[in-house]
């Protein structure tokens, strides 16, 4: 009983980590696609949303990749019998993989 409860706790943790990275990704897209500001201004506005010790693009990218890996790990540790929940988990795993590949590409 305790094992199934602890494994079910991985689902919200994985989803919350996924949403954290997704919100950061959406913020970056919103700022970078604005025609009124240049790239450097968009970068500074994006970084200003984080505490001073995280205001480094490489650190944030590495942190987001780590969050993606942790989210995928949490989501894949759960064995599910519900088809709807399985579909949701697969969606979030694919979403994390896409965001992680994007982050790795941005480091190059």
């Amino acid at each position: 009983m305790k094992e199934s409860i602890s494994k079910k706790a991985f689902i919200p943790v994985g989803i919350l980590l996924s949403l954290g990275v997704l919100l950061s990704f959406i913020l970056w897209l919103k700022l970078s696609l604005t025609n009124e500001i240049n790239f450097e201004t968009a970068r500074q506005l994006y970084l200003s949303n984080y505490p001073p010790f995280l205001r480094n693009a490489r650190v944030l990218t590495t942190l987001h990749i780590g969050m993606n890996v942790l989210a995928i790990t949490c989501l894949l540790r759960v064995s599910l019998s519900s088809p709807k929940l399985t579909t949701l988990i697969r969606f979030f795993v694919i979403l994390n993989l896409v965001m992680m590949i994007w982050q790795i590409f941005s480091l190059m």
Side-chain angles (χ1 to χ4, degrees):
M1 179 76 176
K2 285 185 179 182
E3 188 173 325
S4 67
I5 292 173
S6 65
K7 284 198 174 200
K8 297 263 185 199
F10 284 124
I11 296 172
V13 170
I15 291 174
L16 286 174
L17 288 168
S18 303
L19 292 177
V21 177
L22 182 63
L23 289 174
S24 177
F25 185 71
I26 290 171
L27 174 65
W28 171 248
L29 283 178
K30 182 181 174 188
L31 289 172
S32 64
L33 295 177
T34 303
N35 291 334
E36 299 146 6
I37 57 176
N38 62 14
F39 174 77
E40 192 58 38
T41 306
R43 184 175 169 272
Q44 291 303 320
L45 285 172
Y46 173 72
L47 292 175
S48 70
N49 289 296
Y50 292 95
F53 65 92
L54 287 177
R55 288 186 186 159
N56 182 332
R58 288 185 189 258
V59 171
L60 274 176
T61 302
T62 306
L63 178 68
H64 289 151
I65 291 171
M67 289 171 67
N68 286 132
V69 169
L70 191 57
I72 291 169
T73 304
C74 286
L75 293 170
L76 290 179
R77 290 187 59 124
V78 181
S79 57
L80 303 169
S81 58
S82 168
K84 288 182 180 178
L85 202 51
T86 303
T87 304
L88 179 70
I89 297 301
R90 284 183 184 161
F91 169 77
F92 274 102
V93 168
I94 292 169
L95 177 69
N96 276 292
L97 285 170
V98 169
M99 288 189 298
M100 187 170 60
I101 290 168
W102 184 282
Q103 294 286 340
I104 291 170
F105 179 72
S106 73
L107 277 176
M108 291 182 189

